[in-house]
Structures are given as structure tokens and as C-alpha cells.
């Protein structure tokens, strides 16, 4: 056996035992003539070894140390370290590998930039926080698997080289060598396969599925991500919500965090009205307040609009002009006409627009917002959609707590609209994906007023992050065909792209519904990380590059020819 113990597990009860530990040299401190304290690190922690003649040992050398555990001398205990009451003495050290000086210090805090960290990810992963994050991820994944299996779900793998599945992003494609000029798409999700599995009688499917979407990268988005993907037959929205709630709660508890069993539900409409968002962060208040009635009949032009709403920013009446101007610019960038601010100064009210407001309005607005002296009130007016968006963004900007504060607030958002708006050619765009069943009560408005049709789609939100989405699916070929034509997908095109699905539906499709949620996002929130790359072993940079392996790389001419491809010169 190379080692008898892990570094982090040695305690006073081991005193007197001969032990061997293996790991990396975390630090070396000289201690008088020829003696040194060498801290040895593995993923369980650090142990101090007292080594004779340790001159050749450098940071990050890989060593095997054998010695006798003993209590540390009086006054040298280190309560910050789990092994801080003992040390390993009389050590013999075997160097298993030498190491170049590390590119950055290996501690929980790291100042190195993203590229340097990812270029040496194998060193970065030795940092205790990265070890904790990867292990947390494994704990969460296995709790998810356990919960799904307890609920009768069967894990089925679906293919990676597929025909395109629309989820609203760009596909990554892979050229086919055997069919030159043809391409596979990498799955944006296993959506169509899981629906086919339902037609195939699998009844309850799940998979920790890798999905790939060629979208601009952000803190909560990588090209590749992992989701719990699930589908169930003879089930409706409440069945899916029940199953996924149980699983997500089990995963959170496995991570050692507290969360209620019951997850509240809010309709999409209410989320928009109160929070100006379809993924409201309900950890804090500052809700949007309707003022349209309060200012009806106003003489102030800016408020003569279909919708006027406001938010109250507690204690911010002293906000300076420059910041207010920046907020106004932000409101304009979000599509708003501008921003009106009122400051509650003592008994009075200070605002550049105060002179345009009547005495009644100056009383009614603060009252509706529940304003107190010292508060700042921000108001927007215009189309409801825009007003909600503008104030929703400002609410987050001014009130959102840091990622690791305020507990874990899960929320189901239901009754999403079927379409999220019109594209440049005036055609409705699906809010979820084209396989989502319209709300049965709204089916007859599909032709007359499509944008008012609700869907049977639902999202799970955690602290303002969209964790995942799902829907009841269309299982009837006639309705699916109708939705395709609504989306401007002609029958021939629908047949060419999704004919296999429509065919399958003609062979006995059970009603079915499903869901998928992002494991990277869930683990990041549980780890208190702002960026999902902190919970992914080998992520890409913001520009989609892997500085470690150099991907993506050009391929050589022979490989291109084999694939029947020719590249164009790079645009300059
Ligand atoms: N396929 C969907 C997605 O990846 C989830 C679902 O509808 O089940 O977002």
C-alpha cells in the first residue's frame, strides 16, 4: 500500500502510529538547522510533516511521507486546520514526481486570470475550493439519479450524432465522412428522442444528458452543459412538477442545505406583474407597483401611457446624479423611454418632474409604493411589456443579494405564453419549443389572437436563475402539424425535418410531459459560485476556447478532403 491514511484525516488518536501519506508539497518552512515543516496536501486536507534535510523539496513536488504521528508541542496547535493538533515526525520522504513552480498559488483565493487558470486547469483543480465543487457536483448528480430511480424512472442514453432538434439556439454540426456534404447536429437536447421513448413504451425516462448549444457564453452558460432530462407518459403538468420537485429537493438536501418540501408556484403573468421577469428572484422585495390608476388623468405627458409602474429603493434618496443618469441610460437601453425618479426627502418630495405632478399625485404615488423618508422611487411609463422589463432589470441591479446570501428560493413559474412574440416576418416564435401543448382553454384563440394563447409550459427558478423548463407535449399529429404551420414550417418542410415524429405519433402516442434542469447551474448556486465554470472540470473561456487543449483547432487538408470540405479564408 502506498499510503495508510489520507492527509486530512490524521488526529490525536493516531498519535504513536507509523503512517504513510501521499500528496503534493503545499509549503515548506525551514525550522532551524536541517529541519523543515513540510505541509503535504491531498484532496482531504493538509498535514504538517517534520522533515530532516528537506532541501530538495519544492512546492507541488509529489511525495510519499512515512513517519510517526505525534501531538504538536504546547502552543503550536493550529485550530484553523483539522489536523492542527498533530504533526508527523521522524519522516522519511520519497519524491514520486518533481514539479515546476506552480503558475499561481494554490489556495481558495486565486488572482490568476481565467486563461492562466484554464491553461493549467490540472493545477487549478488542486485548489481546495475546486475539489469541494467537483465533489459537491458528484453528490448532487448521484442524489438526482437516486431520486429519479426511486420514482420509477429508467435511465436511457440517447445519441449524440443526430438530426437537428430545435431549442432556439444554433446547432453545433459534425460533417459526415460517409455522406460527404451532409452533417449531423449535436443535440441541443434529447427532446425528440425522449418523446419517441414515450411512444416506445418506456413510460418514465431520465438521463443526465450533455446538451450542446452554439450561443454566446455568459456566467451561467457554456457551449456544453449537463441537464437532468426527464419525460413521463400518461402524466400532466402537476405530475411532472411533483417528480422534479422531489428530485431537486433531494439534491439540495444531499448537498447539506435546507429547503422546504413544497415549492411555491406563480403564474407567468403574476411574475411579470410583480417582478418584471419570468424568472423572478424572490429572495428580496422591491416589487413592481401598479400606478396607472393613481396617475390616470395626469397632466404630465410622460405618464400619459398605457402603463405606469414604480419600485421603491429603500434608503437610497441620497443617490447621486451620475448614478441616476446611468440608471436612466440602462432603462433606455432596455427599450424604455426614460426613468422618473422621486426622492423622499424628510416630509417632502424632490424630483425634476415634481412641478408637473398634481398634489394628489404627489401623495398617491408614495402611498401606493409604501414609501418612507429617505427612499428613492423609480417610475417608468409606456407599454406594459417594456415597463415590466425596465423595472425588473433595475430591481435586480439595485436590490439583488450576492449569490450566497438569502437562502435557496425555488419557484415554479407556470402558464407561460405559447409564443414569445413575432419574428421579423411577423410569425409567432415559440416561447419554449414547438412540441409544447397549448393550454386547452385557449386553443380556440390560436388563429384569432395567438399571442394571448397560454401554453402548458413551466419553468423552475432558483434565486432568479432559470434552472430548467418543461412542458406537456403535443401528442396528436394534427395539433403538431397545426403548430408547425403556425410557426411557418410548411408541411413538406415539417415532414422532412420532423416526419419521423409525426409518423411516430400515428403509431399510438401516449399523452406525455417532461422537464429538464441544468445541473451546472444548480451546483453553482449550491456552491455559492457566480459562474458555472467553477463547477465544471474543463470549461471553455468566454470566447469558447479551451486554453488547455487548444480547441478548437484547424484540421489538416487531408482530413478536410476526406470529409468533402473546403474552408474559406478567415474574414479579416
Ligand atoms: N428540451 C427542453 C430543454 O432542453 C426541456 C423539456 O422541454 O423537457 O430546455
Amino acid at each position: 500500500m502506498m499510503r495508510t491514511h489520507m492527509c486530512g484525516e490524521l488526529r490525536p488518536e493516531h498519535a504513536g502510529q507509523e503512517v504513510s501519506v501521499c500528496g503534493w508539497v503545499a509549503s515548506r518552512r525551514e525550522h532551524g538547522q536541517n529541519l523543515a515543516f513540510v505541509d503535504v496536501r491531498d484532496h482531504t486536507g493538509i498535514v504538517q510533516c517534520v522533515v530532516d534535510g528537506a532541501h530538495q523539496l519544492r512546492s507541488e513536488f509529489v511525495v510519499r511521507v512515512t513517519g510517526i504521528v505525534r501531538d504538536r508541542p504546547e502552543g503550536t496547535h493550529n485550530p484553523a486546520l483539522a489536523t492542527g493538533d498533530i504533526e508527523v515526525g521522524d519522516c522519511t520522504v520519497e519524491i514520486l514526481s518533481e514539479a515546476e513552480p506552480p503558475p499561481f498559488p494554490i489556495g481558495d483565493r486565486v488572482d490568476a486570470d481565467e486563461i492562466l487558470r484554464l491553461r493549467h486547469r490540472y493545477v487549478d483543480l488542486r485548489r481546495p475550493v475546486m475539489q469541494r465543487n467537483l465533489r459537491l457536483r458528484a453528490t448532487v448528480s448521484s442524489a438526482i439519479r437516486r431520486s429519479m430511480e426511486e420514482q420509477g424512472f429508467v435511465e436511457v442514453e440517447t445519441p449524440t450524432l443526430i438530426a437537428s432538434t430545435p431549442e432556439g439556439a444554433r446547432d453545433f454540426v459534425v460533417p459526415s465522412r460517409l455522406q460527404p456534404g451532409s452533417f449531423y447536429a449535436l443535440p441541443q437536447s434529447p427532446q425528440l428522442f425522449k418523446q419517441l421513448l414515450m411512444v416506445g413504451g418506456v413510460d418514465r425516462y431520465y438521463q443526465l444528458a450533455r446538451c450542446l448549444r452554439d450561443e454566446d457564453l455568459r456566467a451561467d452558460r457554456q457551449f456544453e452543459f449537463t441537464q437532468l432530462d426527464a419525460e413521463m407518459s400518461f402524466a400532466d403538468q402537476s405530475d411532472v412538477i411533483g417528480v422534479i420537485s422531489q428530485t431537486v429537493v433531494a439534491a439540495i438536501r444531499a448537498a447539506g442545505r435546507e429547503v422546504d418540501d413544497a415549492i411555491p408556484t406563480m403564474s407567468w403573468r403574476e411574475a411579470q406583474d410583480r417582478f418584471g421577469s419570468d424568472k423572478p428572484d424572490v429572495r428580496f422585495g422591491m416589487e413592481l407597483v401598479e400606478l396607472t390608476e393613481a396617475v390616470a388623468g395626469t397632466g404630465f405627458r410622460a405618464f400619459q401611457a398605457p402603463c405606469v409602474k414604480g419600485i421603491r429603493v429603500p434608503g437610497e434618496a441620497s443617490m447621486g446624479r451620475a448614478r441616476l443618469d446611468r440608471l436612466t441610460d440602462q432603462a433606455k437601453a432596455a427599450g424604455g423611454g426614460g426613468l422618473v425618479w422621486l426622492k423622499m426627502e424628510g416630509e417632502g418630495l424632490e424630483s425634476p418632474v415634481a412641478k408637473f405632478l398634481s398634489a394628489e399625485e404627489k401623495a398617491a404615488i408614495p402611498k401606493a409604493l409604501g414609501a418612507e423618508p429617505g427612499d428613492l422611487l423609480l417610475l417608468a411609463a409606456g407599454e406594459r411589456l417594456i415597463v415590466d422589463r425596465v423595472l425588473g432589470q433595475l430591481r435586480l441591479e439595485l436590490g439583488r443579494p450576492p449569490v450566497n446570501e438569502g437562502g435557496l428560493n425555488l419557484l415554479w413559474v407556470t402558464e407561460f405564453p405559447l409564443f414569445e412574440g413575432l419574428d421579423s416576418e411577423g410569425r409567432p416564435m415559440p416561447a419554449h419549443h414547438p412540441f409544447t401543448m397549448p393550454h386547452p382553454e385557449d386553443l380556440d384563440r390560436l388563429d384569432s389572437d395567438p399571442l394571448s394563447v397560454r401554453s402548458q409550459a413551466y419553468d423552475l427558478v432558483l434565486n432568479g436563475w432559470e434552472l430548467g423548463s418543461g412542458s406537456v407535449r403535443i401528442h396528436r399529429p394534427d395539433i403538431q402539424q397545426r403548430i408547425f404551420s403556425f410557426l411557418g414550417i410548411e408541411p413538406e418542410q415539417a415532414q422532412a425535418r420532423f416526419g419521423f415524429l409525426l409518423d411516430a405519433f400515428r403509431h399510438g402516442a401516449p399523452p406525455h410531459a417532461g422537464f429538464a434542469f441544468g445541473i451546472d447551474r444548480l451546483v453553482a448556486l449550491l456552491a455559492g459560485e457566480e459562474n458555472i465554470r467553477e463547477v465544471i472540470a474543463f470549461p471553455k473561456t468566454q470566447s469558447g476556447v479551451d486554453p488547455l487543449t487548444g480547441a478548437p483547432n484547424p484540421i489538416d487538408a487531408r482530413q478536410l478532403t476526406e470529409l468533402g470540405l473546403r474552408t474559406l479564408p478567415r474574414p479579416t
Side-chain angles (χ1 to χ4, degrees), residues 165 167 188-191 194 211 213 225 227 229-231 432-433 436 466 468-471 473 513-517:
T165 292
E167 289 283 359
Q188 290 188 37
S189 79
Q191 182 63 34
K194 65 177 172 176
C211 302
R213 298 182 190 178
F225 59 94
Q227 56 185 26
D229 194 50
E231 196 73 14
H432 187 40
H433 51 53
T436 298
E466 179 196 321
S469 319
S471 59
R473 324 297 185 186
F515 197 76
F517 72 75

Side-chain angles (χ1 to χ4, degrees), residues 137 141 144-145 207-212 222-229 467 516-523 532 535-536:
R137 185 182 178 115
S141 298
I144 288 173
R145 286 207 165 88
Q207 180 180 197
L208 298 197
R210 186 63 64 82
C211 302
L212 296 107
Q222 284 270 320
F223 287 152
E224 302 181 47
F225 59 94
T226 308
Q227 56 185 26
L228 165 70
D229 194 50
L467 217 51
F517 72 75
I519 291 178
D520 312 275
R521 287 184 185 176
L522 175 60
V523 177
I532 60 169
V535 300
I536 296 175

Side-chain angles (χ1 to χ4, degrees), residues 1-263:
M1 257 203 303
M2 278 196 104
R3 57 187 169 187
T4 58
H5 292 81
M6 303 300 288
C7 296
E9 69 185 11
L10 293 174
R11 295 289 181 277
E13 74 220 43
H14 298 106
Q17 280 185 33
E18 187 184 73
V19 298
S20 295
V21 293
C22 294
W24 286 261
V25 173
S27 67
R28 192 192 75 185
R29 297 179 305 284
E30 301 308 328
H31 180 57
Q33 269 203 346
N34 239 7
L35 262 195
F37 289 128
V38 177
D39 282 347
V40 180
R41 171 191 357 95
D42 64 20
H43 74 83
T44 64
I46 279 180
V47 67
Q48 172 170 297
C49 303
V50 186
V51 180
D52 222 350
H55 308 300
Q56 71 283 37
L57 291 183
R58 300 269 173 276
S59 277
E60 300 310 309
F61 273 31
V62 183
V63 291
R64 173 170 188 253
V65 179
T66 302
I68 311 283
V69 179
R70 63 188 187 206
D71 289 328
R72 289 200 193 187
E74 208 45 47
T76 63
H77 293 235
N78 179 358
L81 218 56
T83 59
D85 290 330
I86 55 97
E87 61 191 12
V88 183
D90 303 326
C91 293
T92 35
V93 178
E94 206 180 315
I95 295 179
L96 304 174
S97 270
E98 299 197 344
E100 289 178 15
F104 42 83
I106 297 173
D108 268 351
R109 264 183 52 96
V110 66
D111 292 325
D113 71 14
E114 185 191 33
I115 309 254
L116 189 65
R117 282 182 61 202
L118 294 185
R119 162 91 184 76
H120 299 279
R121 188 62 157 179
Y122 40 82
V123 172
D124 194 41
L125 290 177
R126 276 181 221 156
R127 296 192 305 117
V129 58
M130 293 306 295
Q131 287 289 326
R132 281 198 297 277
N133 288 355
L134 288 187
R135 282 160 213 279
L136 174 68
R137 185 182 178 115
T139 302
V140 166
S141 298
S142 81
I144 288 173
R145 286 207 165 88
R146 208 163 36 245
S147 170
M148 292 305 282
E149 279 161 23
E150 277 165 13
Q151 298 183 79
F153 285 74
V154 178
E155 184 168 14
V156 181
E157 291 174 79
T158 53
T160 305
L161 297 173
I162 65 170
S164 177
T165 292
E167 289 283 359
R170 221 174 272 119
D171 285 324
F172 279 101
V173 296
V174 178
S176 157
R177 176 179 58 85
L178 295 179
Q179 323 280 332
S182 287
F183 294 80
Y184 300 98
L186 298 178
Q188 290 188 37
S189 79
Q191 182 63 34
L192 296 171
F193 290 100
K194 65 177 172 176
Q195 294 192 240
L196 295 174
L197 287 173
M198 296 303 102
V199 184
V202 170
D203 205 89
R204 289 185 165 205
Y205 140 93
Y206 89 97
Q207 180 180 197
L208 298 197
R210 186 63 64 82
C211 302
L212 296 107
R213 298 182 190 178
D214 188 358
E215 296 177 286
D216 291 339
L217 305 188
R218 299 190 308 228
D220 62 353
R221 202 184 260 167
Q222 284 270 320
F223 287 152
E224 302 181 47
F225 59 94
T226 308
Q227 56 185 26
L228 165 70
D229 194 50
E231 196 73 14
M232 56 201 290
S233 291
F234 308 109
D236 61 16
Q237 170 169 319
S238 62
D239 297 312
V240 175
I241 287 184
V243 164
I244 299 294
S245 297
Q246 186 171 325
T247 296
V248 98
V249 165
I252 291 175
R253 292 200 180 135
R257 301 287 293 274
E258 282 173 22
V259 64
D260 285 344
D261 274 319
I263 301 177

